[in-house]
Amino acid sequence: MVELKKERSVSLATESVHVELHDEDVSERNSTSKGIAIGALSENDVPADAEAAPKEAAMTATHIQANKEAMNFYKWADCLFWMSICTVVIGGGVLVTATLHFEPDMDKMFWLNKVATLGVVTLFQFIAGWATLHWGVKVNYTRKFLHFNYFAWPILMEKVFFQFESTIITGFWQVWIILFGLLFVSEPMVNRMRFFRILYAALDRPEDHPYTRLWFISQLCVSLPVIAFFHVWMSKIDEDSLVFIPIIVLALGDGLAEPVGVRFGKHKYKVPRLCGRDRYYRSYEGSSMVFLVSVIACAAHYKSFENDKHFAWCICIIPFLETLIEAWAPHTWDNPLILAGGYLVIVAGHYALVA
């Protein structure tokens, strides 16, 4: 009986040690479980019977709590899926009707652009998921690649390759395409086809369970309308050449924050999760990447500013503001706040110093 207890304890400890959390943000709950396992292996790799029981009890209690949270969440999963289906179908019908009525000059190239955008976004996500499953690329990095994939590609396809003028209609189409693509990673789709499981692997960060889909999709559902809204607004005031500054800050600055934080992050601070009491860790070293990339993004767009005053306004405010937003935003929900903050600074500078 004693030997069985020892073997079970060693097994639990070994499993926990081999679970690697690669995100810059690490949940306190996961860190606690990992700490228990490491402590259990510190004495001859086998815990004493007197210590094993309370440690196993603590781990069991943590697992039970996690399972309760998962069950409460998945009660609503099917409902959310069908609500998403209805939203996409109804929204698509409304957009097609509005496009034919208000934009009758849109030719077949416009519709080809939308199909091509969906295809390119899906292809790149498939490659990212394949890299995670078969090439050992960390999911924390592929998630950051998806930032660029979702936020930048629709605009690049529209402005560079097909050269359409941005309107409210085209802005809503950008949002609709990504929302349609998100159905591919919904639970019913992932459970039925391997293709969709590969797509989901590109964003399935273990420490976000059981809220991976909720956090990922909710932030996209807010971030995409933010980009579309400001893209149209900035096109109307001839500042659309600056639309990529916040996207670069998000895709590269926030993207570099993870590997830098994991590799060099020695000075940690806590951030909350969305609608919860758990705390996650970020590092000052990782957050400094947001500041650095913000400066580079503004400097790279120097010739796109209307005058030097507008440029000085943005390069002096955006790096500090974006860094503070990234530091204070809830775990997984910094994306829409970084985008909105950057765009508001650019637009405010235009009306104050250019218009």
Side-chain angles (χ1 to χ4, degrees), residues 225-290:
V226 168
I227 294 176
F229 174 76
F230 280 102
H231 185 199
V232 174
W233 188 357
M234 293 170 70
S235 296
K236 299 300 182 183
I237 61 177
D238 296 325
E239 294 283 11
D240 54 323
S241 57
L242 304 178
V243 74
F244 277 103
I245 291 179
I247 295 176
I248 292 173
V249 174
L250 176 61
L252 297 182
D254 190 38
L256 287 173
E258 288 205 20
V260 170
V262 170
R263 180 66 179 83
F264 303 104
K266 304 298 183 183
H267 304 87
K268 307 286 187 178
Y269 62 93
K270 297 178 182 180
V271 294
R273 84 175 195 189
L274 183 68
C275 302
R277 292 178 294 178
D278 288 347
R279 293 294 184 267
Y280 291 76
Y281 288 103
R282 291 176 184 160
S283 70
Y284 292 108
E285 291 82 359
S287 296
S288 67
M289 291 297 99
V290 177

Side-chain angles (χ1 to χ4, degrees), residues 73-93:
F73 172 70
Y74 285 118
K75 285 179 181 178
W76 300 96
D78 290 339
C79 180
L80 291 173
F81 173 72
W82 289 110
M83 287 175 60
S84 301
I85 291 285
C86 293
T87 301
V88 168
V89 171
I90 296 173

Side-chain angles (χ1 to χ4, degrees), residues 187-342:
E187 186 177 7
M189 305 292 279
V190 169
N191 290 340
R192 283 168 173 78
M193 289 187 63
R194 184 170 182 266
F195 175 79
F196 297 131
R197 286 196 293 272
I198 295 175
L199 294 180
Y200 183 63
L203 60 90
D204 186 23
R205 192 163 52 189
E207 56 267 31
D208 289 349
H209 293 170
Y211 304 106
T212 303
R213 289 185 180 88
L214 174 64
W215 288 344
F216 186 80
I217 294 176
S218 63
Q219 67 170 334
L220 277 180
C221 288
V222 177
S223 299
L224 292 169
V226 168
I227 294 176
F229 174 76
F230 280 102
H231 185 199
V232 174
W233 188 357
M234 293 170 70
S235 296
K236 299 300 182 183
I237 61 177
D238 296 325
E239 294 283 11
D240 54 323
S241 57
L242 304 178
V243 74
F244 277 103
I245 291 179
I247 295 176
I248 292 173
V249 174
L250 176 61
L252 297 182
D254 190 38
L256 287 173
E258 288 205 20
V260 170
V262 170
R263 180 66 179 83
F264 303 104
K266 304 298 183 183
H267 304 87
K268 307 286 187 178
Y269 62 93
K270 297 178 182 180
V271 294
R273 84 175 195 189
L274 183 68
C275 302
R277 292 178 294 178
D278 288 347
R279 293 294 184 267
Y280 291 76
Y281 288 103
R282 291 176 184 160
S283 70
Y284 292 108
E285 291 82 359
S287 296
S288 67
M289 291 297 99
V290 177
F291 183 90
L292 179 61
V293 171
S294 298
V295 173
I296 294 174
C298 291
H301 286 79
Y302 172 73
K303 294 184 178 180
S304 300
F305 288 93
E306 294 288 340
N307 55 48
D308 289 343
K309 291 182 179 179
H310 193 199
F311 169 72
W313 166 276
C314 290
I315 202 170
C316 289
I317 296 178
I318 288 179
F320 291 99
L321 179 63
E322 300 288 55
T323 304
L324 290 175
I325 290 175
E326 191 272 341
W328 291 343
H331 173 66
T332 76
W333 243 75
D334 50 351
N335 293 2
L337 301 177
I338 288 175
L339 291 168

Side-chain angles (χ1 to χ4, degrees), residues 140-160:
N140 308 84
Y141 303 158
T142 58
R143 279 175 64 98
K144 298 306 179 182
F145 170 76
L146 294 183
H147 288 176
F148 181 85
N149 193 38
Y150 287 142
F151 300 142
W153 263 118
I155 298 178
L156 283 174
M157 296 287 287
E158 183 177 293
K159 300 292 291 185
V160 178

Side-chain angles (χ1 to χ4, degrees), residues 175-188:
V175 176
W176 184 88
I177 287 174
I178 302 301
L179 293 180
F180 180 82
L182 289 177
L183 292 177
F184 296 164
V185 297
S186 61
E187 186 177 7

Side-chain angles (χ1 to χ4, degrees), residues 111-127 149 153 157 177-178 180-181 184 195 199:
W111 302 105
L112 178 62
N113 171 35
K114 302 310 170 188
V115 174
T117 300
L118 178 62
V120 168
V121 169
T122 304
L123 173 63
F124 283 145
Q125 183 167 344
F126 181 87
I127 294 173
N149 193 38
W153 263 118
M157 296 287 287
I177 287 174
I178 302 301
F180 180 82
F184 296 164
F195 175 79
L199 294 180

